Amino acid sequence: MINYLSTRNKNTTATPTMAILNGLAPDGGLYVPSDLSALKIDYRDVINMDYRGMARVIFGRFFPDFGEEEIARIVEASYADKFTAEEITPLVPVGDRYVLELFHGPTCAFKDVALSALPNFMVSAARLNDFNDEILILTATSGDTGSAALHGFSDVPGTRIIVFYPEHGISDSQRLQMTTQQGKNTCACAVRGNFDDAQNGVKRIFTEIPRPAEGVSLSSANSINIGRLVPQVVYYFAAYAALVKAGRIQAGDPVDYTVPTGNFGDIMAGFFAREMGLPVGRLVCASNKNDVLTEFLTTGHYNRVREFHKTTSPSMDILISSNLERLLYFVCGPEQTASYMKALSETGEYTITEEELAKIQSLFTGICASEEEGASAIGEVFREHGYLLDTHTSIAWAAAEKYQGDSPNVILSTASPYKFSRAVMTAIGMEPAESDQENMQKLEAGTGIAAPAPLKAIFQLEVRHKDVIEKDEMMQYVKDRSVR
Ligand SMILES: *Cc1c(COP(=O)(O)O)cnc(C)c1O
């Protein structure tokens, strides 16, 4: 049976369900499946299934110790009625490309796809392993992860969640998505400081009080958890299946995927889809002005010591892409990976060998696009095809434009354009107003494209979470809320 081991030491192992419960391996590495060949399936069988059928097969390969029946239950609980699109992740032809819409979940960004499943994985993994502590999820967020995690864990028995977000520096709608969140076990709290302050506070709490109260254990909902990565493998198959079904390709034809990338989680799921046997052609890793991954995939040199740019695609404003460590493991092995990660934390950079780079380049291409290129992609696609891209998807569109491959190109669309109304309006030549609510209405009226109902609704909901604290009060805040 498939086992998991740390990217930094192959003797640090865990069963699939324990890997989900642990999140991070004890040596600081990330969990990876011990044997990629054990993941292989015949994609021809899978592409005739509906989304939930595909999810059952794929989850079962990665996490066999749940058992088939439990996997089926988890898939139903995660996807039966949480998404507004029948197909969960519809594929829409736009010009001669295909846009894979991943934003039809409750918070309108792609993180919903994984965060709908993760709470179910965790609760079930706890039961299976006789883990009786209540699971307290702690998350620092700069926007999208916080609302998706709050929604995912809302009223899930045996769990509680606290999300810390910077008091300033997130949009009105992102704030409201969190502060209006329902659920007896949810809590969102503003921190007087920036995202790094919130993130550092959370990291300190994890090391100092991993069990903040008797019978309560901390866990994390961010993308280092293998349970967040695997649900994303499914939509690579779903997109392929849709292309075959629509007669756009024959089963077996290669398909390229272009992915707007930050932490390298979403695109890493594409790597796993290919290892499972899906005919993935190339994976185009699209970056914004923060082009650390473009440089790495072109030269083999990873260097986080560089200027940080705040852009209109904030979820891609990342200088340390945690999930790249998983790719390094498969290409370089655990000893090399551990030494590269050590260099990264000590000096801020590392360089892989030419052979290692060549292996990576046989599948991945890194391309970056500027703010201007992203904005003109939004304008052009709207004028020519009447389709609205969000600010992250538009970076991927611009990268696909530069890539110019021969195979069909699927662009992963990670957020609804209405999550970033202001920047989208500017890009199509409209004048933005003061508030996000007005902008949403104006954009809807100006384009005739409906805004998603859950986003419109937040402006009418009661604000439930009003706490604002100093950054050095975070530890006490968690302790106070941990007592059962
Ligand atoms: C998180 C996020 C990304 C980046 O995904 P990674 O898995 O971190 O590479 C891209 N777009 C949006 C809208 C996101 O929320």
Side-chain angles (χ1 to χ4, degrees):
M1 185 154 87
I2 196 166
N3 216 15
Y4 282 76
L5 35 88
S6 164
T7 46
R8 300 185 190 180
N9 184 342
K10 61 179 175 6
N11 298 319
T12 308
T13 62
T15 61
T17 51
M18 275 314 291
I20 292 172
L21 273 182
N22 291 347
L24 202 63
D27 59 7
L30 275 58
Y31 284 114
V32 284
S34 55
D35 178 13
L36 286 175
S37 65
L39 298 175
K40 271 271 189 300
I41 53 178
D42 189 344
Y43 72 91
R44 287 179 194 82
D45 298 340
V46 175
I47 58 176
N48 294 318
M49 300 175 176
D50 65 2
Y51 193 95
R52 286 186 250 168
M54 293 186 213
R56 282 193 295 274
V57 172
I58 291 165
F59 293 1
R61 279 288 147 159
F62 278 90
F63 307 132
D65 55 340
F66 279 122
E68 261 179 51
E69 232 172 85
E70 186 61 7
I71 294 271
R73 204 194 55 75
I74 290 172
V75 167
E76 288 310 292
S78 307
Y79 297 113
D81 52 359
K82 288 204 174 146
F83 287 73
T84 53
E86 171 80 34
E87 313 93 312
I88 311 283
T89 57
L91 186 75
V92 181
V94 179
D96 56 7
R97 302 221 164 78
Y98 302 92
V99 176
L100 182 62
E101 296 185 345
L102 305 175
F103 53 77
H104 294 285
T107 72
C108 309
F110 90 97
K111 294 191 171 70
D112 287 326
V113 179
L115 282 163
S116 299
L118 184 67
N120 297 308
F121 283 146
M122 275 193 180
V123 170
S124 181
R127 202 181 311 126
L128 206 80
N129 291 284
D130 293 322
F131 182 86
N132 294 316
D133 277 10
E134 183 174 69
I135 300 169
L136 174 57
I137 303 291
L138 273 198
T139 302
T141 184
S142 56
D144 293 335
T145 301
S147 51
L150 281 166
H151 205 284
F153 281 91
S154 171
D155 285 333
V156 172
T159 72
R160 250 188 281 181
I161 175 164
I162 301 176
V163 168
F164 291 110
Y165 62 93
E167 185 184 17
H168 302 293
I170 64 169
S171 70
D172 297 350
S173 20
Q174 284 180 317
R175 180 196 326 279
L176 279 172
Q177 277 190 301
M178 292 190 272
T179 57
T180 60
Q181 178 62 50
Q182 304 285 315
K184 285 197 286 293
N185 63 341
T186 63
C187 170
C189 175
V191 175
R192 292 202 183 91
N194 58 27
F195 170 66
D196 285 327
D197 296 324
Q199 168 114 312
N200 288 335
V202 164
K203 281 189 185 152
R204 215 169 41 242
I205 297 169
F206 268 104
T207 18
E208 290 184 26
I209 47 166
R211 284 187 93 211
E214 183 58 33
V216 180
S217 283
L218 295 182
S219 190
S220 154
N222 81 29
S223 69
I224 51 165
N225 195 316
I226 189 72
R228 242 195 81 172
L229 218 133
V230 169
Q232 299 175 354
V233 176
V234 180
Y235 48 68
Y236 283 85
F237 281 85
Y240 195 90
L243 286 171
V244 173
K245 201 169 170 191
R248 306 272 179 159
I249 58 167
Q250 302 277 324
D253 293 349
V255 170
D256 298 336
Y257 293 80
T258 306
V259 188
T261 298
N263 231 343
F264 211 77
D266 210 4
I267 196 166
M268 197 57 205
F271 170 88
F272 284 122
R274 185 164 177 271
E275 290 300 324
M276 294 188 85
L278 188 72
V280 173
R282 288 198 79 74
L283 293 171
V284 180
C285 172
S287 298
N288 65 21
K289 203 174 169 194
N290 296 292
D291 57 356
V292 57
L293 285 168
T294 312
E295 181 178 278
F296 173 72
L297 294 171
T298 314
T299 67
H301 180 213
Y302 195 100
N303 185 7
R304 73 166 159 88
V305 188
R306 59 175 69 218
E307 199 184 334
F308 177 83
H309 301 285
K310 259 184 100 55
T311 72
T312 53
S313 42
S315 298
M316 299 163 74
D317 293 345
I318 285 181
L319 294 183
I320 301 183
S321 292
S322 320
N323 272 291
L324 185 62
E325 185 172 340
R326 288 194 162 104
L327 179 63
L328 288 179
Y329 168 84
F330 289 115
V331 172
C332 321
E335 289 85 16
Q336 272 307 329
T337 303
S339 91
Y340 291 145
M341 290 302 108
K342 189 157 178 276
L344 181 65
S345 81
E346 284 169 4
T347 67
E349 58 182 328
Y350 61 88
T351 306
I352 60 173
T353 67
E354 269 178 37
E355 297 79 66
E356 290 165 349
L357 178 61
K359 273 196 210 164
I360 291 178
Q361 288 179 335
S362 67
L363 176 59
F364 291 88
T365 303
I367 299 178
C368 62
S370 65
E371 285 288 271
E372 296 71 30
E373 288 167 330
S376 51
I378 296 175
E380 232 174 82
V381 169
F382 181 65
R383 279 192 306 277
E384 289 173 17
H385 310 294
Y387 186 88
L388 264 192
L389 300 170
D390 99 288
T391 47
H392 303 76
T393 311
S394 64
I395 294 289
W397 184 283
E401 197 102 300
K402 293 184 191 182
Y403 174 62
Q404 295 283 358
D406 298 325
S407 304
N409 200 324
V410 170
I411 293 170
L412 273 60
S413 179
T414 46
S416 158
Y418 283 95
K419 265 198 117 155
F420 303 94
S421 303
R422 168 176 290 271
V424 170
M425 284 172 86
T426 311
I428 61 170
M430 288 175 72
E431 190 71 43
E434 261 310 299
S435 76
D436 280 8
Q437 182 171 23
E438 263 177 286
N439 284 334
M440 201 175 290
Q441 288 160 354
K442 276 179 87 171
L443 187 56
E444 216 176 13
T447 61
I449 297 167
L455 268 187
K456 287 208 286 207
I458 56 171
F459 298 101
Q460 266 67 54
L461 296 176
E462 178 206 354
V463 172
R464 297 183 62 232
H465 309 284
K466 297 177 183 162
D467 291 348
V468 184
I469 62 172
E470 301 297 331
K471 56 189 180 198
D472 56 14
E473 292 171 338
M474 289 171 64
M475 182 110 45
Q476 192 58 45
Y477 189 85
V478 170
K479 280 186 191 158
D480 291 346
R481 276 151 196 79
S482 301
V483 185
R484 291 181 86 171

